[in-house]
Amino acid sequence: MNAVIPHASAAPAPGAGDGTLHATGPWRVAAADPALEEVADTVRALLAPHLPGRLLPAGSTGPATHALVLALDDEPPAAPRTTVGVAPDGGAHPADEAYRLRVTADGIECLARTAEGVFRAATSAVQLIATAGARGELPCQDVTDAPRYAWRGLMVDPARSFLTPDELRRIIDLAALYKLNVLHLHLTDNEGWRIELPGFPRLTEPVAGGRARAFYTAAAFRSLQEYAARRFVTVVPEIDLPGHCGTLREAVPGLAEAPAPAGLRERFPFIPPLDLTDGATRAAVSGLLAEVCELTAGPFVHIGADEAFGATAENFAASVHELRTIVRESGKSPVAWQESSRAGVEPRDIVQHWVDVPMMDLPDTEEELAARPELVTAGHTLSFIKALKGFFAPTDHDVARVVDGGGRVLLSPQSHLYLDRPYEAGFAPPEQTDAAGSLGFGNYRPRSIEHAASWDPGVYAIPDECVAGVEAIVFAEQFKGFDDVIFLLLPRLASVAEAAWCGRAPEWTEYRERLARHGQVWNQRGLTHFATTEVPWAE
């Protein structure tokens, strides 16, 4: 068995018998084709934390016990899957990421038709080396692999909890290691605006008292995208409108308020969403989105469009239409949360499915509420929960709207792919009990790692042509900082990556044995994970 995640089918290497690669000793990374020199540099950087003192520098002529060789090969790998979904790099068809990996007694060879495929093979090789254990023994084997979904993403939330560019680079490396290829950045919300726009300096000016705001300069954002691109990861920025606009309202006074449903203001407090049917408001938003699009190297810009609490249905639909139009006029393709489907859906639209009422797992009676301490602690009453269900009732039909309109669904169901969920404390080692229960969004029922790994994207009755892909989500309402993000991601991100690449949920008993070896990988990278007692972690 190899410990590669996502799962990669392996067979004995022809002619190798029971041969073994002893992975101890020095290694070198070599590009067999000049076109792969940059890929080799990237693989070398990704491998470095796992071979301290044993990875030879580029161009080294010294002796090496083993070689990790990257090569282009026109012979098509025996790809076990058909890729479906939207190409995150904007290509008309999904990238060719199929690869072959050969482990021999002398080293590892990564073969594919494309540089991207070679890089995916190399991430499997990095995992094999990192999980080889103290004896460093790997069975000789041939691996052939290819993805099921073209869009395999992770969203993080620097709007609420800022992540430095270097921290985002570490997250990009982690995503790439598990063959994810999209980093979705939730850059704006009521709590913060995190990207510099030269035409709107007040968005990132110091706050009252002179305290500096944390944000990404235009130069830093471009550099981050370049770093991601070398790892075949596309960065998708999100500017969340017409709701979630508190910071924007503070910086740009006078933006028109959306007309609210009758009687709402008297019942619930809310920050008014924007009214993009107002000419001045549309002009301002058009200007800022044009700057975001100009800064974005990839083809997609996310416009948000979720939870526009305080806007009438008619005004919300009109505002979403304007947001889509502005992004398209700026040369990019809009992505939006599922509520945007109520503004109509066209075949080119990508709509991100995150919730329906059953998925919210909310109680119906006082007895059921009493059995949910996380909701009681949050101060929820049955009347509030009833109102919440009413607000989210239209979500039950959003996916059908997307499919009927010929759009593409990006799967991010809250039930399993929202990784800002507390862990089930009963599976926490003693030293992590407090963190397991306190980190994450308090409204969510704590769940086990087995529950997270049980998600199967194939259960949705969505035609292949209407699927964009899969994306994990980590919002940051109730935690702060990089270490908290990583604790919530690991180990759950690994099973999301497996479902996105393989197109199915892993078999738990077999998967937990592979997962047990990855604690070593994260430790070597300086990443703290939730050491659930469900998994027999390798020393």
Side-chain angles (χ1 to χ4, degrees):
M1 181 195 80
N2 67 54
V4 172
I5 298 175
H7 180 267
S9 299
D18 295 326
T20 299
L21 167 63
H22 296 277
T24 55
W27 279 78
R28 64 184 175 89
V29 178
D33 188 304
L36 295 175
E37 290 291 351
E38 185 177 277
V39 175
D41 288 341
T42 302
V43 171
R44 201 174 287 110
L46 200 61
L47 184 57
H50 309 292
L51 292 174
R54 295 197 289 130
L55 181 61
L56 299 180
S60 173
T61 57
T65 304
H66 303 298
L68 175 57
V69 179
L70 313 180
L72 295 171
D73 186 3
D74 290 335
E75 181 182 350
R81 302 182 190 93
T82 300
T83 306
V84 301
V86 172
D89 63 358
H93 302 286
D96 185 350
E97 299 176 84
Y99 70 85
R100 179 184 296 110
L101 183 148
R102 295 173 178 161
V103 180
T104 70
D106 297 320
I108 302 176
E109 188 175 19
C110 300
L111 302 163
R113 287 179 293 243
T114 66
E116 190 163 354
V118 171
F119 181 75
R120 302 299 177 213
T123 62
S124 290
V126 171
Q127 289 189 31
L128 286 172
I129 294 168
T131 59
R135 297 177 61 183
E137 293 184 353
L138 292 172
C140 294
Q141 57 190 290
D142 271 15
V143 174
T144 55
D145 206 7
R148 173 57 173 163
Y149 294 110
W151 183 304
R152 305 179 303 277
L154 167 64
M155 190 218 81
V156 295
D157 180 13
R160 295 185 176 93
S161 180
F162 187 71
L163 297 163
T164 69
D166 282 346
E167 289 169 341
L168 286 180
R169 288 183 177 91
R170 294 181 71 186
I171 289 173
I172 290 168
D173 284 347
L174 179 66
L177 188 63
Y178 290 97
K179 299 182 177 64
L180 301 178
N181 61 358
V182 174
L183 179 66
H184 168 181
L185 296 177
H186 185 74
L187 292 172
T188 73
D189 215 299
N190 295 325
E191 295 85 350
W193 185 285
R194 304 300 188 180
I195 187 166
E196 175 189 38
L197 301 180
F200 295 82
R202 290 190 60 185
L203 287 166
T204 48
E205 285 180 348
V207 298
R211 183 170 57 85
R213 298 180 191 266
F215 63 92
Y216 308 112
T217 66
F221 186 62
R222 290 192 179 97
S223 177
L224 184 74
Q225 292 175 93
E226 292 166 2
Y227 184 92
R230 289 194 293 274
R231 287 146 182 80
F232 298 95
V233 172
T234 299
V235 175
V236 176
E238 179 184 351
I239 307 299
D240 195 357
L241 298 172
H244 293 270
C245 59
T247 304
L248 177 59
R249 285 196 173 282
E250 290 176 7
V252 185
L255 297 175
E257 297 183 5
L264 189 66
R265 294 183 189 280
E266 294 75 30
R267 296 173 60 203
F268 302 104
F270 61 90
I271 296 173
L274 302 183
D275 177 8
L276 272 84
T277 66
D278 173 75
T281 301
R282 188 193 190 281
V285 171
S286 180
L288 68 87
L289 281 178
E291 290 196 34
V292 172
C293 291
E294 193 277 329
L295 286 172
T296 302
F300 298 103
V301 169
H302 202 300
I303 58 172
D306 64 315
E307 298 178 329
F309 188 76
T312 63
E314 296 78 10
N315 184 267
F316 172 73
S319 291
V320 170
H321 174 77
E322 294 296 337
L323 290 168
R324 286 175 175 161
T325 300
I326 290 166
V327 169
R328 290 188 175 118
E329 288 174 345
S330 298
K332 302 296 179 182
S333 297
V335 183
W337 298 105
Q338 69 184 68
E339 291 94 323
S340 66
S341 65
R342 299 165 214 169
V345 176
E346 298 179 14
R348 56 185 172 172
D349 289 330
I350 299 177
V351 179
Q352 193 161 6
H353 170 52
W354 68 280
V355 72
D356 54 38
V357 173
M359 192 190 306
M360 295 174 74
D361 189 24
L362 294 172
D364 292 313
T365 66
E366 292 289 354
E367 291 75 19
E368 291 174 355
L369 176 58
R372 295 287 300 278
E374 72 279 6
L375 299 180
V376 174
T377 301
H380 290 355
T381 64
L382 205 60
S383 61
F384 174 80
I385 290 170
K386 182 178 179 180
L388 199 62
K389 288 181 179 181
F391 176 73
F392 281 99
T395 61
D396 291 351
H397 307 287
D398 286 337
V399 170
R401 276 187 275 267
V402 179
V403 173
D404 291 346
R408 301 288 190 100
V409 179
L410 181 57
L411 294 169
S412 298
Q414 180 193 88
S415 58
H416 292 80
L417 269 61
Y418 270 49
L419 307 186
D420 53 329
R421 177 183 292 274
Y423 292 109
E424 193 168 330
F427 294 114
E431 67 275 13
Q432 291 185 329
T433 300
D434 289 344
S438 62
L439 291 180
F441 191 50
N443 289 357
Y444 296 156
R445 186 195 297 268
R447 292 292 192 183
S448 67
I449 300 305
E450 183 177 3
H451 173 268
S454 70
W455 182 71
D456 189 341
V459 303
Y460 296 85
I462 302 175
D464 282 353
E465 64 272 17
C466 290
V467 176
V470 170
E471 187 170 288
I473 305 295
V474 184
F475 279 114
E477 286 101 331
Q478 295 183 4
F479 64 86
K480 293 290 184 184
F482 175 79
D483 289 340
D484 287 353
V485 173
I486 295 300
F487 185 79
L488 289 168
L489 285 177
L490 298 176
R492 292 182 287 203
L493 185 65
S495 65
V496 178
E498 175 136 340
W501 180 270
C502 299
R504 62 180 184 274
E507 194 282 314
W508 172 248
T509 302
E510 183 275 336
Y511 171 72
R512 69 194 285 270
E513 296 298 323
R514 280 185 289 130
L515 185 63
R517 307 283 287 276
H518 282 255
Q520 301 172 91
V521 177
W522 306 326
N523 291 339
Q524 291 161 11
R525 304 191 73 83
L527 303 173
T528 300
H529 66 281
F530 174 57
T532 174
T533 58
E534 301 163 88
V535 175
W537 299 103
E539 295 295 332

